[in-house]
Amino acid sequence: MPYVHIQVTRENVSAAQKAELIAGATELLVRVLNKDPATTFVVIEEVDTDNWGVGGIPVTQLRQIQQT
Amino acid sequence: MPYVHIQVTRENVSAAQKAELIAGATELLVRVLNKDPATTFVVIEEVDTDNWGVGGIPVTQLRQIQQT
Amino acid sequence: MPYVHIQVTRENVSAAQKAELIAGATELLVRVLNKDPATTFVVIEEVDTDNWGVGGIPVTQLRQIQQT
Amino acid sequence: MPYVHIQVTRENVSAAQKAELIAGATELLVRVLNKDPATTFVVIEEVDTDNWGVGGIPVTQLRQIQQT
Amino acid sequence: MPYVHIQVTRENVSAAQKAELIAGATELLVRVLNKDPATTFVVIEEVDTDNWGVGGIPVTQLRQIQQT
Amino acid sequence: MPYVHIQVTRENVSAAQKAELIAGATELLVRVLNKDPATTFVVIEEVDTDNWGVGGIPVTQLRQIQQT
């Protein structure tokens, strides 16, 4: 029955990495709470860096600061 | 006042089907809880099949298994 | 595979009404998108009226205005 | 620690407006609850007007009605 | 039409502070995107400190560390 | 920057299990996407079994069926 929603910035997450996140999150719910994988949902949402703010600024600007 | 968030996989949901989901969900809240349609939000989110996991694998792989 | 999240204010929604919302939302996804009920989640979240704002004020205050 | 999720219809929100929403939401949490900006997330989600319903119809249709 | 979801830890947020968050978030959407307050939802969700993790540990433990 | 939201039914999840879910989910994002634990949020939401539906019925009823 668990529903796991993973939000990350849209920064080239590959299909293989998504599959790994899905497998890992499902395994975690099975291991810790003995949940049934067949009814465990994992939904990954990728968010543009303009659309994600931390410290009051968009991640787009944050990345530019980090690269200078 | 209700807010209804419907997440489905991105598998060719047509504009007409979306309108039907919006009408149906709103009607449900009006019928069961006597809510005001004018302040009832329905938000449909379509998720790539790489990004939705069930049974520990992405729906993309699940669909491939289902087709073999 | 659908996940339906219904947020309403915490104003005495009965167990029977919740069951009706669950049945109705599931039936809607089956009818419109031919989804499998066995892997259709409906999650109802009740929110205190102090915690829900519309028109810039909490619903608690809105209800008081509506009753005067 | 706060997480602020802002959903709006996808109707040409500019990068500058997104930055303003991020700054404003962060400032609000700092001012009212004395939260640390460095661990305050603001996530903006833009939703197609076909995918957002109010009053039982998609915003796409609502906009057409508003323009006639 | 905006929907703003604010998640914070359950650490004695007063009704007055919630009203201030609701007013501030609504004003922000009106000012930046010219949205209608009457159809702007703000939902505040308070999360137990056992249920919120940052840095891999629950906030409950984090607060204990911060107090030593 | 990741935000992980884990929804499970409210069925006696202990503080230790919550801490394990938080540690496990954080470790997963660090391992797969090399994210910074200090800015990785994990939020666990427990949902009453009356409020969670699968197969068109509340989990409360499902558990009763499973026990007969």
Side-chain angles (χ1 to χ4, degrees):
Chain A
M1 225 71 76
Y3 167 81
V4 181
H5 181 210
I6 301 176
Q7 276 187 334
V8 289
T9 45
R10 193 188 303 280
E11 297 181 289
N12 309 309
V13 181
S14 69
Q17 288 173 313
K18 291 174 188 176
E20 207 176 337
L21 289 175
I22 287 167
T26 305
E27 184 277 330
L28 179 64
L29 270 300
V30 173
R31 176 163 50 83
V32 178
L33 296 181
N34 194 28
K35 295 295 186 181
D36 178 357
T39 51
T40 295
F41 287 179
V42 180
V43 172
I44 300 166
E45 186 180 342
E46 297 165 273
V47 178
D48 292 341
T49 55
D50 276 359
N51 290 41
W52 193 308
V54 63
I57 61 171
V59 169
T60 307
Q61 292 176 24
L62 195 66
R63 295 291 183 246
Q64 288 158 0
I65 294 166
Q66 289 169 339
Q67 281 151 15
T68 52
Chain B
M1 227 71 76
Y3 167 81
V4 181
H5 181 210
I6 301 175
Q7 276 187 333
V8 290
T9 45
R10 192 187 304 278
E11 296 181 289
N12 308 311
V13 180
S14 69
Q17 289 173 314
K18 291 173 187 177
E20 207 177 336
L21 289 174
I22 287 168
T26 306
E27 185 277 330
L28 179 65
L29 270 299
V30 172
R31 175 162 51 82
V32 178
L33 296 182
N34 194 28
K35 296 295 186 182
D36 177 357
T39 51
T40 295
F41 287 177
V42 179
V43 172
I44 299 166
E45 185 180 343
E46 296 164 274
V47 178
D48 293 340
T49 56
D50 276 359
N51 289 42
W52 193 307
V54 63
I57 60 171
V59 169
T60 306
Q61 292 176 25
L62 194 67
R63 295 291 183 247
Q64 288 157 1
I65 295 167
Q66 289 168 340
Q67 281 151 15
T68 52
Chain C
M1 226 73 75
Y3 167 81
V4 181
H5 182 210
I6 302 175
Q7 275 186 334
V8 290
T9 45
R10 192 188 304 278
E11 296 181 288
N12 308 311
V13 181
S14 69
Q17 288 173 314
K18 292 174 187 177
E20 207 175 338
L21 289 175
I22 288 167
T26 305
E27 184 277 331
L28 179 65
L29 270 300
V30 172
R31 175 164 49 84
V32 178
L33 296 182
N34 193 29
K35 295 295 186 183
D36 178 358
T39 49
T40 296
F41 287 178
V42 180
V43 172
I44 300 165
E45 185 180 343
E46 296 165 273
V47 178
D48 293 341
T49 56
D50 275 358
N51 289 42
W52 193 307
V54 62
I57 60 171
V59 169
T60 306
Q61 292 175 24
L62 194 66
R63 295 290 183 250
Q64 287 157 1
I65 293 165
Q66 289 168 339
Q67 282 152 14
T68 52
Chain D
M1 226 70 76
Y3 168 81
V4 181
H5 182 210
I6 301 175
Q7 275 188 332
V8 288
T9 44
R10 191 189 303 279
E11 296 181 288
N12 308 310
V13 180
S14 69
Q17 288 173 313
K18 291 173 188 178
E20 207 175 337
L21 289 175
I22 287 168
T26 305
E27 185 277 331
L28 179 65
L29 271 300
V30 173
R31 176 164 50 83
V32 177
L33 296 181
N34 194 28
K35 295 295 185 182
D36 178 357
T39 51
T40 295
F41 287 178
V42 179
V43 172
I44 299 165
E45 185 180 342
E46 296 164 273
V47 178
D48 293 340
T49 55
D50 276 358
N51 289 42
W52 193 307
V54 63
I57 60 171
V59 169
T60 306
Q61 292 176 25
L62 195 66
R63 295 290 183 249
Q64 288 157 1
I65 294 166
Q66 288 169 339
Q67 280 152 17
T68 51
Chain E
M1 227 70 77
Y3 168 80
V4 181
H5 182 210
I6 301 175
Q7 275 187 334
V8 290
T9 45
R10 193 188 304 278
E11 295 182 288
N12 309 311
V13 181
S14 70
Q17 287 174 313
K18 291 173 188 177
E20 207 176 336
L21 289 175
I22 287 168
T26 305
E27 184 276 331
L28 179 65
L29 270 300
V30 173
R31 177 164 49 83
V32 178
L33 296 181
N34 193 28
K35 295 295 187 183
D36 177 357
T39 49
T40 295
F41 286 178
V42 179
V43 172
I44 299 166
E45 185 180 343
E46 296 165 273
V47 178
D48 293 341
T49 56
D50 276 359
N51 289 42
W52 194 307
V54 64
I57 61 171
V59 169
T60 306
Q61 292 175 24
L62 195 66
R63 295 290 185 249
Q64 289 158 359
I65 294 166
Q66 289 169 338
Q67 281 153 14
T68 51
Chain F
M1 227 71 76
Y3 167 81
V4 181
H5 182 211
I6 301 175
Q7 276 187 334
V8 289
T9 45
R10 192 188 303 278
E11 296 182 287
N12 308 310
V13 180
S14 68
Q17 288 173 313
K18 292 174 188 177
E20 207 175 337
L21 290 175
I22 288 168
T26 306
E27 185 277 331
L28 179 64
L29 271 299
V30 172
R31 176 163 48 84
V32 178
L33 296 182
N34 194 28
K35 295 295 187 183
D36 177 358
T39 50
T40 295
F41 286 178
V42 179
V43 172
I44 300 166
E45 186 180 341
E46 297 165 272
V47 178
D48 293 341
T49 55
D50 277 358
N51 288 42
W52 193 307
V54 61
I57 61 170
V59 168
T60 306
Q61 292 176 24
L62 194 67
R63 294 290 184 250
Q64 288 158 359
I65 294 167
Q66 289 168 339
Q67 281 152 16
T68 52

